[in-house]
Amino acid sequence: MNTNATAKRAILLVDDDRLVLSTLSRGLTGAGYSLSTAESADDAEAILASGERPDLAILDVNMPGRSGLELAERLRSFDHIPFMLLTAYSDQEIVDKATAMGALGYLVKPVDTPQLLPAIKAALARAEDMQNLRAIGRQLQVALNGEREISIAIGITMMQYRLDRKAAFELLRKTARSQNRKLAELAADVIKASETLNLGA
Amino acid sequence: MLTLSLVGMSLASYIHEIKHAKIAVTHRDALIREIHHRIKNNLQGITGLLRQLAESHPDTSDSINYTIGQVQSIAAIHGLQERIPANNVRLHELVGAVATGVGSLWQKAIAVEIPSDWPSYTIDEAEAVPLALVLNELLSNAIKHGVCGEGLQIKIILKHGQQPDSIHLAIHNPSQLPPGFDFERNASTGLQLVQSLMPRAGARLTWHHQDNTVITLLELEPPVITLKPEP
């Protein structure tokens, strides 16, 4: 087993059965994961409240008190922590709910460590893909916002200096270069200055 | 009869309903008993297979016997519930069953001392299997590290605790704790399992030395155990 690849991956395992919790957590620790365990949804929330951020949560569906599905909803909405579910029965309704909630896997008990490892590996890979996609989305949004501001700043420059579009862009670009700043930053300042002037007018 | 007439039920049909409900309860109990019986038998089948394996591989028989003990202690829970399915497992019966199983597995007699007027404490359903495994682990550990000799024997003593409804389960083992023994910090694999299986509330485990004897003290109180009035 390649433990290096999994050495830093943290898993939160939540199951009300202490024997399952104990044996699976030992198996996964042996496979190189860093494990936190909780016996209930409330215990798991206390762990998350203490600041722990696991790479993946594995949740038992049927637990006394709040179910694994309720905890999954919180993980999805507030913590953005990927999760997979463990359950005693292959119940279509729960499978549908879990899928709709974005579960990265659904395993029917009894599960043993060797069965769990490939499912965890796949879930962690999907979680990483999703995280990368979210990061790309954020970068694209920043870029789009920047482009939009540059276009507005070009428009303001065209109006103020009575230049055509190409000349206004060149002026902004040269100014940014001479001030050793990014064009998007300069554009934001131009818009701000223009707004201030308009407010004062 | 006013109440019956209000719900539109005659006395005859009321009696019929009661009888019907009683039969349904009897059937349900019989089914639960049967399920526990089958689980126990299957677990015994597993221990039988493991025993064959241990016999054909004497070099690994200790490790296999260790697992047999664990499976046996879970089977003990089903064996007790097969007899009284409607009730939770009684503590003193579980202690007796696990001690007998561990004793016969390792060929060492374990004395169980329970006061004659010991009341019936039942174990919370969710804690029964973890507690059986904890007892199995503590007794197996006592046998593994105990000193054999004339008149030396492992004893389990059940006593009432200082708090009302609390009990002390003490395992007396003619032995010595290893130097620097610390359950919390450097437990062996078996004791790590005990740590992870101990109930989070209503149970405490400590070790003491007294006259060349190691006393492993398991203190139990509600919600792990409940004092059940005798019928």
Side-chain angles (χ1 to χ4, degrees), chain B residues 60-121:
Chain B
T60 54
S61 65
D62 273 4
S63 307
I64 299 169
N65 276 341
Y66 175 70
T67 305
I68 290 175
Q70 292 176 323
V71 179
Q72 251 181 204
S73 61
I74 299 174
I77 296 289
H78 294 286
L80 294 169
Q81 287 194 305
E82 160 193 22
R83 283 162 41 201
I84 38 163
N87 294 319
N88 287 355
V89 170
R90 292 189 189 115
L91 178 73
H92 67 279
E93 290 181 331
L94 179 67
V95 171
V98 174
T100 307
V102 174
S104 79
L105 182 65
W106 299 102
Q107 302 288 300
K108 297 261 169 68
I110 298 173
V112 181
E113 290 182 14
I114 301 171
S116 56
D117 57 347
W118 187 255
S120 189
Y121 285 96

Side-chain angles (χ1 to χ4, degrees), chain B residues 3 22 26 28 58 71 89 97 167 169 174 184 204 221:
Chain B
T3 320
K22 278 186 177 169
T26 312
R28 186 204 60 190
V71 179
V89 170
I167 66 114
L169 188 156
E184 301 291 336
R204 193 163 157 253
E221 58 185 35

Side-chain angles (χ1 to χ4, degrees), chain A residues 50-125:
Chain A
S50 74
E52 268 194 43
R53 281 290 171 273
D55 296 299
L56 178 71
I58 303 173
L59 317 172
D60 181 27
V61 173
N62 304 301
M63 292 190 287
R66 290 160 63 221
S67 75
L69 285 175
E70 283 173 76
L71 180 59
E73 181 60 47
R74 180 208 147 129
L75 291 177
R76 186 180 69 119
S77 312
F78 297 106
D79 304 295
H80 304 294
I81 291 171
F83 60 91
M84 48 196 288
L85 294 163
L86 290 179
T87 181
Y89 310 103
S90 179
D91 183 326
Q92 193 56 46
E93 197 186 330
I94 297 177
V95 175
D96 291 345
K97 263 190 196 168
T99 311
M101 285 168 78
L104 291 179
Y106 186 90
L107 293 163
V108 179
K109 286 180 182 179
V111 283
D112 203 1
T113 312
Q115 291 168 278
L116 203 49
L117 288 176
I120 290 175
K121 211 174 168 187
L124 281 170

Side-chain angles (χ1 to χ4, degrees), chain B residues 30-170:
Chain B
L31 264 177
I32 295 173
R33 231 191 322 263
E34 180 62 21
I35 289 166
H36 282 300
H37 178 70
R38 288 190 188 188
I39 296 173
K40 186 197 73 180
N41 281 359
N42 283 340
L43 291 175
Q44 281 178 351
I46 293 169
T47 58
L49 291 171
L50 287 170
R51 191 153 280 143
Q52 281 183 356
L53 191 67
E55 281 165 12
S56 57
H57 296 85
D59 49 326
T60 54
S61 65
D62 273 4
S63 307
I64 299 169
N65 276 341
Y66 175 70
T67 305
I68 290 175
Q70 292 176 323
V71 179
Q72 251 181 204
S73 61
I74 299 174
I77 296 289
H78 294 286
L80 294 169
Q81 287 194 305
E82 160 193 22
R83 283 162 41 201
I84 38 163
N87 294 319
N88 287 355
V89 170
R90 292 189 189 115
L91 178 73
H92 67 279
E93 290 181 331
L94 179 67
V95 171
V98 174
T100 307
V102 174
S104 79
L105 182 65
W106 299 102
Q107 302 288 300
K108 297 261 169 68
I110 298 173
V112 181
E113 290 182 14
I114 301 171
S116 56
D117 57 347
W118 187 255
S120 189
Y121 285 96
T122 58
I123 305 167
D124 178 78
E125 200 182 351
E127 300 295 351
V129 167
L131 205 57
L133 282 166
V134 165
L135 281 174
N136 169 71
E137 213 60 55
L138 296 177
L139 286 174
S140 305
N141 221 33
I143 286 178
K144 194 170 148 194
H145 300 292
V147 180
C148 299
E150 192 71 25
L152 297 176
Q153 193 182 25
I154 293 167
K155 272 192 288 191
I156 308 178
I157 302 170
L158 276 185
K159 274 186 190 165
H160 292 285
Q162 281 139 2
Q163 302 297 321
D165 286 353
S166 79
I167 66 114
H168 284 185
L169 188 156

Side-chain angles (χ1 to χ4, degrees), chain A residues 17-19 21-23 26 37 39 43, chain B residues 127 133 189 192-193 196-200:
Chain A
D17 187 322
R18 282 205 299 283
L19 187 52
L21 204 59
S22 168
T23 50
R26 276 158 156 263
T37 57
E39 283 178 40
D43 282 359
Chain B
E127 300 295 351
L133 282 166
T189 313
Q192 280 174 19
L193 182 67
S196 56
L197 291 176
M198 278 290 283
R200 299 297 178 254

